[in-house]
Amino acid sequence: MCMCVAGRWGRNGERASAAGRHKKKRRRPRECWQTRDFYSMLMKRRITQGASIDRVGSFVGDLCCGGRVAMITVLLQFLSLISLARCDLFTSVADMQSLLETERAIPQMLGNYLDKEEARLEKLRKLAAAYNHRNEMSIVNGLKDITNPINAFLMIKKKIFDWKSIENLMSSNEADSFIHDVVSGDNYGVRYPTEEDLSGAATGLLRLQDTYRLDTKEIADGRIYSDQGNYTFDARDCFEIARAAYNEQDYYHTVMWMQEARERLAKEAVPSVNMEDVLEYLAFALYKQGNLKYALKLTEELFQLNPLHSRAKGNVKWYEDLLEQEGVRRSEMRRNFAAIVNRRPESVLGNAERTMYEALCRGEVPVSEKDVSKLYCYYKRDRPFLVYAPIKVEIKRFNPLAVLFKNVVSEDEMERIKELAKPKLARATVHDAATGKLVTATYRISKSAWLKGWEDDVVERVNRRLDLMTNLEMETAEELQIANYGIGGHYDPHFDHARKEETKSFESLGTGNRIATVLLYMSQPRFGGGTVFTEAKSTIAPTKGDALFWYNLHRQGDGDSRTRHAACPVLVGIKWVDYILKNCGETQILLFRGSPTMATSVSQVLLASEGCLEIF
């Protein structure tokens, strides 16, 4: 379960001010996102159609005017608790679609709660009226009652039980059970994003920006290439994206988005974010990127804006000292500004592979016309069933071999597979090379589900069809894996097979290495989402209903490094894929007889007696 971290101002709860990093670390308490930023985002972005912000404000105002502040508190408590229910909506577009259903449920949900509260308050009103009548009677009989010991005893007893009844009625608010039902999904299935989702969505957006070289201003204007979105960003939105980058110590993106936030804030009639916060974050990010003079300049602007700011004056002195240490004279500290330096951080992949990966995703790597001229299509008819229902095959690449089986799954079958997968979707995992266990990783952002052949006829049909397509038996194949990608969903360059040193990769499956991969595209994103091979320098765009096939291993059974591949981030649209991974038995090896020709490299793949692969 994800918990909101109160006071998350910098990493580990500490504000990373310039002075605070090198002197005594100062803490600045901040409200939890779920009680401040999250509510503003929720009100702004997640109000149902027809329920404008003004109407929500009117609704809250009506409650307050009715003296129901406690009810408001309950509603706020409800919103903060439901935000803890799920933490990874951003990893799957299919899960984010549930937010639309959530919005449809909110009017009924709040209406039911308010009806119950109205009934309880009506009981209290009637009780108050009854006590008014009793008070009139006590004026007449009160003194007589308390002077008689029997009457006094009975009155004390009666008042005790009366008060218990009143107390129970006043405290019988059903908010706790109501909130429990909502969060558990028993009645409403409400799911709201959390701080982790907001951070994940921002990181995904930054990944898209880098991969597809998108301009910060155009993104903030809601435009991606020729696609104009329904919303634009205000200064607060840009600030939140920048702060998400800052929390990951990504000062490269912090600079870009804080600058955009500053520019938009200057144009806003009603500021959506505090300029002091923007200047402080931007100054520190510029300092971390090697722009000391600009950091000093912005910090002085902050001090002029608010001379009582707790850190501004000290940070001015600190930046001056740093410049002096670099040999800059005080007379030059505010003059002769060079261009801002904002270097992109090093990639864990290595900058060379990252550059190739991103260029392939953008379609910028040239393809040899000579190599393309050798590619062709044919009908696969090498099995009795296929004589009457041949499969269309398009050769995409010879070295290493990759083919596309065309139109192998119907629209109804794809929808049924998605329907089966949605309830099972969970954060996608990878094999830990050291332990062989499945773990989540930041370099794979999607959700996946596994389907067994016996779960539905459509799964078994797809498995039989894969046998016909590849001539590989499915007994040692892994279960059908369905993946749905979220905001900036991707899978960094990787191998499907285990390398020699990764001896435990498939230990939990009880199988050997992965011979081949079939990637079935069940959707076609508008932009992005391609499959790229960084060593082979080739890109294959997803085409709905088609299946991409390649071998992962050499003839000797060791891994083919040329099959290193990646899933490009989905820029616009939805990406659903099926992974079918064919494994050898644990002790089996690959046997190849002769050498495959272009015409027979796919259509004459047969199975050896050991149950693995043999090519004639």
Side-chain angles (χ1 to χ4, degrees), residues 442-590:
T442 56
Y443 58 83
R444 187 182 189 185
I445 301 297
S446 63
K447 284 193 173 178
S448 60
W450 302 80
L451 298 179
K452 297 178 175 63
W454 52 261
E455 292 188 56
D456 196 274
D457 288 342
V458 68
V459 181
E460 186 57 36
R461 282 202 308 273
V462 168
N463 285 335
R464 288 198 301 268
R465 205 169 298 155
L466 290 168
D467 184 327
L468 292 171
M469 289 158 50
T470 65
N471 287 4
L472 295 173
E473 289 183 355
M474 304 306 293
E475 280 77 4
T476 56
E478 296 175 26
E479 295 170 0
L480 195 68
Q481 181 185 174
I482 295 84
N484 179 242
Y485 290 80
I487 300 173
H490 75 305
Y491 195 170
D492 274 353
H494 63 283
F495 299 106
D496 282 348
H497 64 268
R499 288 167 287 184
K500 289 182 179 179
E501 64 272 18
E502 298 170 347
T503 57
K504 296 183 178 181
S505 289
F506 304 111
E507 192 175 72
S508 60
L509 297 176
T511 66
N513 216 341
R514 288 168 170 167
I515 322 171
T517 298
V518 179
L519 189 58
L520 177 59
Y521 299 113
M522 295 197 298
S523 67
Q524 191 165 327
R526 186 171 178 186
F527 298 119
T531 304
V532 299
F533 293 78
T534 54
E535 293 296 321
K537 297 180 175 56
S538 64
T539 302
I540 294 154
T543 47
K544 191 174 183 180
D546 296 348
L548 179 63
F549 172 83
W550 69 87
Y551 294 110
N552 294 308
L553 305 181
H554 283 299
R555 296 166 182 264
Q556 299 81 7
D558 55 335
D560 188 344
S561 62
R562 300 171 301 173
T563 63
R564 187 167 173 83
H565 62 285
C568 296
V570 179
L571 186 53
V572 178
I574 300 174
K575 184 179 179 182
W576 284 91
V577 295
D578 286 354
Y579 292 96
I580 305 93
L581 300 156
K582 176 66 176 71
N583 301 67
C584 282
E586 192 167 7
T587 60
Q588 294 165 347
I589 59 172
L590 291 179

Side-chain angles (χ1 to χ4, degrees), residues 77-150:
Q77 179 190 10
F78 153 70
L79 289 174
S80 65
L81 286 177
I82 63 175
S83 68
L84 304 178
R86 194 69 179 267
C87 303
D88 52 7
L89 287 170
F90 74 96
T91 63
S92 167
V93 170
D95 267 6
M96 287 191 292
Q97 287 175 315
S98 66
L99 293 177
L100 302 177
E101 298 302 321
T102 295
E103 293 196 353
R104 296 189 185 101
I106 286 177
Q108 176 192 355
M109 174 182 65
L110 293 179
N112 290 347
Y113 174 71
L114 291 172
D115 287 344
K116 291 180 180 180
E117 281 298 285
E118 289 288 358
R120 184 177 67 88
L121 293 174
E122 185 60 30
K123 289 181 181 179
L124 287 171
R125 289 192 191 96
K126 290 180 179 179
L127 187 60
Y131 268 86
N132 275 334
H133 178 70
R134 291 185 191 182
N135 288 339
E136 293 174 0
M137 296 295 296
S138 68
I139 293 174
V140 178
N141 301 322
L143 185 60
K144 181 179 178 182
D145 287 341
I146 62 174
T147 55
N148 183 301
I150 297 175

Side-chain angles (χ1 to χ4, degrees), residues 242-409:
R243 187 159 65 171
Y246 176 89
N247 288 336
E248 296 299 321
Q249 296 184 340
D250 176 4
Y251 304 111
Y252 168 73
H253 288 110
T254 304
V255 168
M256 289 192 291
W257 283 93
M258 280 297 174
Q259 285 177 326
E260 188 65 29
R262 185 187 181 196
E263 291 176 10
R264 289 177 181 260
L265 184 57
K267 299 175 184 177
E268 290 180 350
V270 179
S272 59
V273 67
N274 191 333
M275 179 62 85
E276 295 178 26
D277 289 341
V278 172
L279 291 173
E280 190 170 14
Y281 273 108
L282 181 54
F284 187 77
L286 285 168
Y287 152 67
K288 295 297 288 185
Q289 290 292 83
N291 302 277
L292 262 174
K293 284 188 177 182
Y294 284 99
L296 174 61
K297 181 175 182 289
L298 291 179
T299 306
E300 287 183 328
E301 286 184 29
L302 172 60
F303 182 67
Q304 291 173 2
L305 190 65
N306 180 9
L308 299 179
H309 191 279
S310 59
R311 290 174 296 277
K313 187 176 181 180
N315 287 352
V316 168
K317 176 67 167 60
W318 188 68
Y319 286 132
E320 287 177 339
D321 292 344
L322 287 177
L323 284 167
E324 192 170 3
Q325 290 172 20
E326 292 187 0
V328 179
R329 292 180 297 180
R330 289 191 173 271
S331 60
E332 295 294 322
M333 290 181 181
R334 293 159 182 84
R335 299 169 53 190
N336 300 323
F337 287 87
I340 289 178
V341 176
N342 194 25
R343 298 182 189 85
R344 188 177 175 187
E346 297 289 322
S347 171
V348 293
L349 297 171
N351 287 353
E353 184 171 35
R354 180 179 70 182
T355 300
M356 176 56 65
Y357 161 57
E358 293 179 352
L360 287 166
C361 289
R362 295 191 298 269
E364 294 177 354
V365 178
V367 180
S368 167
E369 292 185 9
K370 182 179 179 180
D371 289 342
V372 172
S373 67
K374 297 177 182 178
L375 305 178
Y376 59 89
C377 303
Y378 66 93
Y379 285 102
K380 186 177 187 294
R381 290 191 174 98
D382 59 340
R383 304 278 286 275
F385 178 83
L386 297 181
V387 173
Y388 299 99
I391 294 175
K392 299 175 183 177
V393 182
E394 178 185 353
I395 298 179
K396 303 296 290 186
R397 186 185 62 228
F398 283 115
N399 193 22
L401 180 68
V403 302
L404 199 65
F405 298 106
K406 305 290 290 183
N407 303 317
V408 292
V409 184

Side-chain angles (χ1 to χ4, degrees), residues 186-203:
D186 293 342
N187 295 327
Y188 300 98
V190 170
R191 297 176 65 186
Y192 258 100
T194 65
E195 179 185 351
E196 182 183 341
D197 288 308
L198 188 59
S199 177
T203 302

Side-chain angles (χ1 to χ4, degrees), residues 150-165:
I150 297 175
N151 289 346
F153 170 80
L154 292 174
M155 185 177 73
I156 291 171
K157 179 184 175 183
K158 178 177 172 53
K159 294 302 180 185
I160 288 174
F161 283 97
D162 277 356
W163 175 246
K164 285 185 177 180
S165 175

